[in-house]
Amino acid sequence: IGAGAVGLSCARALALKGREVLVLEAAGAIATETSSRNSEVIHAGLYYATGSLKARLCVEGRRKLYAYCAAHGVEAHRCGKLVVAVDDHEGAATPALLKRALDNGVEDSRLVDGAEARRLEPALSPDVRVAIHSETSGLFDSHGYFLALQGEFEDRGGALALNSPVVRAEVLRDGIEVETGGDAPARIKARMVVN
């Protein structure tokens, strides 16, 4: 249920395992709700607590997202980012942030002084004292990514039903019955439902 980033990813994964997949989407196009408001940023994983699940999944997910984009012709650019410190208090906290990132496996991150930061980004304020240069941070074409996911599950026999809002579902002895609304209401029986 739902053809956003998570729904399309689940549909792809199930189709790759040979499952028959039907994605029900209430809207008239894929990825028009929460997924349409993403920033298209590929985060390096600088900020999460050392050893946390978020830290591990961010680093692993970043690596996999870059690989997926490269393999499927989705535009992704490792433009990097600078995390800048403009006063002594921020400057004093910067080495600990870099250590946390490195401890979490964020590669290609380093401290640079203010002059190097301004060389990398001339529009920076002269107040920048020190910065972390994270070379693995980037941007990607999220819509191209959504289309690649859709194409993969459809290539393996999956189907997408747009304008098919789910109005109710009921667990039965032999499966789950899902009722859709929209212009062509239907009742669909499934062995498994991912919402």
Side-chain angles (χ1 to χ4, degrees):
I1 299 171
V6 174
L8 293 169
S9 295
C10 290
R12 173 193 175 267
L14 291 167
L16 288 173
K17 293 198 177 284
R19 301 294 294 263
E20 182 180 355
V21 179
L22 170 63
V23 176
L24 302 171
E25 171 55 50
I30 64 169
T32 59
E33 296 292 331
T34 304
S35 295
S36 70
R37 294 184 288 279
N38 80 80
S39 63
E40 296 192 325
V41 170
I42 300 175
H43 296 280
L46 300 175
Y47 304 105
Y48 298 117
T50 303
S52 68
L53 182 61
K54 281 185 177 182
R56 193 179 88 241
L57 293 179
C58 185
V59 170
E60 182 182 336
R62 170 183 41 81
R63 291 173 182 153
K64 287 182 175 182
L65 183 56
Y66 276 127
Y68 184 89
C69 289
H72 293 85
V74 176
E75 187 176 353
H77 179 59
R78 291 177 200 248
C79 55
K81 79 173 180 179
L82 293 168
V83 179
V84 300
V86 295
D87 60 34
D88 290 338
H89 177 72
E90 290 176 352
T94 304
L97 177 59
L98 177 63
K99 181 181 182 325
R100 180 185 321 156
L102 295 174
D103 287 348
N104 283 330
V106 178
E107 63 278 324
D108 299 324
S109 295
R110 62 189 174 95
L111 276 178
V112 296
D113 63 20
E116 174 69 4
R118 283 186 293 282
R119 187 189 67 72
L120 292 166
E121 178 47 67
L124 281 178
S125 163
D127 295 337
V128 172
R129 309 215 175 147
V130 66
I132 296 172
H133 182 207
S134 168
E135 295 180 31
T136 59
S137 297
L139 301 169
F140 77 117
D141 173 7
S142 64
H143 194 68
Y145 173 67
F146 304 144
L147 289 172
L149 293 171
Q150 178 185 354
E152 275 197 282
F153 89 80
E154 287 180 335
D155 282 349
R156 284 159 181 82
L160 172 65
L162 299 173
N163 300 308
S164 298
V166 173
V167 295
R168 65 181 278 292
E170 182 180 355
V171 177
L172 305 173
R173 287 178 188 237
D174 60 342
I176 303 163
E177 185 177 80
V178 177
E179 183 180 339
T180 65
D183 293 337
R187 288 178 187 250
I188 303 155
K189 190 176 273 186
R191 286 187 304 276
M192 177 174 62
V193 174
V194 177
N195 182 11

